[in-house]
């Protein structure tokens, strides 16, 4: 997820609109958070590039892994530097370049191929169906690639790339943070790459900005698909808060994804369960129509208004009524069995 506005970052190099996706790892088998796009130059919990949001994600963390948060890089134009000694491995739907060993690059390519296949099954708009991954071997090179000098210790991956005249991303890449990514289980790594690949697919096929809870929740929805794990197990950190009466009382706002404001893992889980509820109640097709209708082509600040209209036009309900259903389901999932 993105970091706070006051955090330092490396100076921009050139002009290149970028976007980021992040991942956070928790204490369950696989908890993660990805980052979002933003049209502001300063990173925050959710970031937008050229008014095209893409955001953090929160699956369940790997056991004994320290929390990992995704952070968004500064938007604006930056030209990634060349990695000395880098080699490239190509998969069926992926290109992985890095300074780690070839076996690791090959493993990442297989994960990316799996991710592209999973995303393509669930995201029905036309997109290149290719993912580019950058895998530096050390934190210094990672920082150089993303142009950040602030604390990225919780960031597992950042997705960035230029935005074309059409408002669509034209060359996204997923940059892995070697220190944070190494702490994930294989399932956690797959989740991160699938989550990020979802952002790549959406950004390359749908312009405009959507509410961050929808951006991140949808990426988690795709990332968790096929995990075979119960919702209550995946959402345990959030449900514990609900049981303690400290859980959410409304759909997450952009500020709720800001790590400087506190723990953000439960926020991602809340967003995921909201998206999951839409998918179960209305179907995957309606969810994607709702996503598309909830975007504003000019400003993330106007996306909430578009979303309110989409609740009525696409789902036949209102934000208030949906929120009531969602909160009731959280309470039900958190109730002692």
């Amino acid at each position: 997820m993105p970091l706070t506005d006051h955090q330092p970052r490396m100076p921009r190099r050139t002009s290149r609109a970028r976007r980021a996706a992040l991942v956070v790892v928790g204490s369950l088998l696989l908890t993660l958070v990805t980052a979002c796009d933003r049209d502001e130059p300063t990173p925050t919990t959710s970031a937008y590039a050229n008014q095209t949001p893409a955001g953090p994600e929160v699956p369940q963390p790997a056991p004994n892994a320290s929390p990992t948060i995704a952070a968004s890089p500064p938007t604006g134009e930056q030209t990634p530097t060349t990695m000395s000694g880098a080699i490239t491995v190509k998969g069926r739907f992926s290109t992985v370049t890095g300074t780690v060993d070839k076996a690791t690059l090959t493993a990442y390519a297989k994960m990316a191929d799996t991710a592209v296949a999973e995303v393509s099954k669930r995201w029905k708009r036309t997109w290149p169906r290719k993912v580019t991954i950058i895998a530096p071997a050390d934190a210094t090179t990672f920082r150089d690639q993303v142009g950040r000098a602030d604390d990225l210790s919780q960031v597992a991956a950042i997705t960035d790339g230029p935005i074309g005249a059409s408002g669509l991303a034209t060359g996204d890449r997923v940059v892995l943070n070697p220190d944070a990514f190494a702490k994930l289980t294989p399932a956690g790594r797959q989740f991160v790459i699938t989550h990020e690949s979802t952002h790549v697919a959406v950004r390359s096929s749908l312009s405009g900005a959507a509410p961050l809870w929808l951006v991140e929740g949808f990426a988690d929805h795709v990332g968790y698909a096929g995990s075979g794990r119960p919702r209550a197990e995946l959402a345990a950190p959030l449900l514990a808060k609900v049981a303690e009466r400290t859980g959410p009382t409304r759909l997450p706002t952009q500020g709720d994804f800001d790590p400087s404001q506190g723990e953000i893992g439960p926020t991602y889980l809340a967003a995921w369960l909201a998206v999951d509820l839409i998918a179960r109640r209305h179907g995957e097709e309606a969810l994607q129509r709702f996503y598309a209708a909830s975007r504003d082509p000019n400003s993330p600040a106007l996306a909430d208004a578009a979303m309110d209209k989409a609740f009525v036009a696409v789902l036949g309900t209102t934000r208030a009524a949906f929120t009531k259903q969602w909160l009731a389901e959280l309470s039900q999932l958190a109730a002692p069995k």
Side-chain angles (χ1 to χ4, degrees):
M1 344 190 333
L3 305 178
T4 58
D5 294 331
H6 60 270
Q7 288 175 314
R9 62 185 189 284
M10 293 179 70
R12 301 179 186 170
R13 302 188 194 102
T14 59
S15 285
R16 183 172 185 247
R18 310 180 62 155
R19 135 194 176 177
L22 316 149
V23 180
V24 174
V25 184
S27 55
L28 281 181
L29 182 55
L30 153 73
T31 294
L32 317 150
V33 177
T34 52
C36 11
D37 304 321
R38 185 180 180 187
D39 56 356
E40 299 286 322
T42 49
T44 57
T45 312
S46 59
Y48 300 88
N50 282 5
Q51 294 112 23
T52 305
E57 305 144 6
V58 180
Q60 290 326 97
N64 304 318
S66 57
T68 299
I69 301 173
S72 57
T75 56
E77 302 190 4
Q78 299 186 353
T79 301
T81 58
T82 300
M83 290 187 292
S84 177
I87 59 175
T88 296
V89 169
K90 288 186 176 293
R92 185 178 181 187
F93 306 115
S94 60
T95 299
V96 185
T97 298
T99 49
V100 295
D101 61 87
K102 187 173 182 179
T104 299
L105 295 175
T106 300
Y108 292 167
K110 290 180 179 179
M111 290 180 184
D113 287 348
T114 297
V116 170
E118 185 63 37
V119 173
S120 297
K121 285 192 303 184
R122 297 180 177 275
W123 183 247
K124 298 308 180 181
R125 289 177 177 264
T126 300
W127 67 293
R129 301 195 176 195
K130 297 282 186 181
V131 171
T132 296
I133 293 179
I134 306 299
D138 59 86
T140 299
T141 305
F142 168 68
R143 290 179 179 285
D144 191 44
Q145 284 293 307
V146 300
R148 295 285 289 272
D150 46 317
D151 183 8
L152 298 178
S153 59
Q154 293 188 82
V155 177
I158 289 180
T159 298
D160 65 12
I163 301 296
S166 65
L168 301 179
T170 60
D172 275 353
R173 63 199 190 125
V174 177
V175 186
L176 306 179
N177 180 346
D179 292 344
F181 205 67
K183 297 175 182 178
L184 301 177
T185 63
R189 294 174 187 176
Q190 183 65 65
F191 173 88
V192 171
I193 291 177
T194 302
H195 177 111
E196 298 303 328
S197 296
T198 302
H199 286 315
V200 172
V202 173
R203 280 169 47 82
S204 63
S205 59
L206 192 62
S207 62
L212 189 54
W213 73 265
L214 185 53
V215 172
E216 294 308 325
F218 183 74
D220 274 2
H221 175 65
V222 177
Y224 281 130
S227 72
R229 298 176 62 194
R231 285 176 296 141
E233 179 183 324
L234 288 169
L238 167 65
L239 299 179
K241 289 183 173 294
V242 173
E244 296 168 355
R245 299 181 182 275
T246 59
T249 58
R250 49 157 174 71
L251 290 171
T253 62
Q254 182 166 317
D256 294 327
F257 291 92
D258 186 344
S260 72
Q261 303 302 311
E263 186 181 9
I264 60 174
T267 297
Y268 284 95
L269 292 169
W272 164 58
L273 287 177
V275 169
D276 181 72
L277 177 58
I278 294 174
R280 286 183 288 106
R281 291 284 180 90
H282 302 276
E284 293 289 340
E285 183 180 346
L287 168 60
Q288 295 194 31
R289 285 189 287 112
F290 175 73
Y291 193 161
S294 296
R295 301 173 77 87
D296 185 271
N298 300 309
S299 170
L302 301 177
D304 271 5
M307 175 187 67
D308 285 336
K309 292 179 181 178
F311 268 121
V312 177
V314 179
L315 303 183
T317 186
T318 63
R319 189 205 302 208
F322 173 78
T323 300
K324 185 176 181 180
Q325 293 176 339
W326 169 66
L327 291 174
E329 182 166 271
L330 293 185
S331 296
Q332 182 178 19
L333 286 171
K337 300 299 187 289

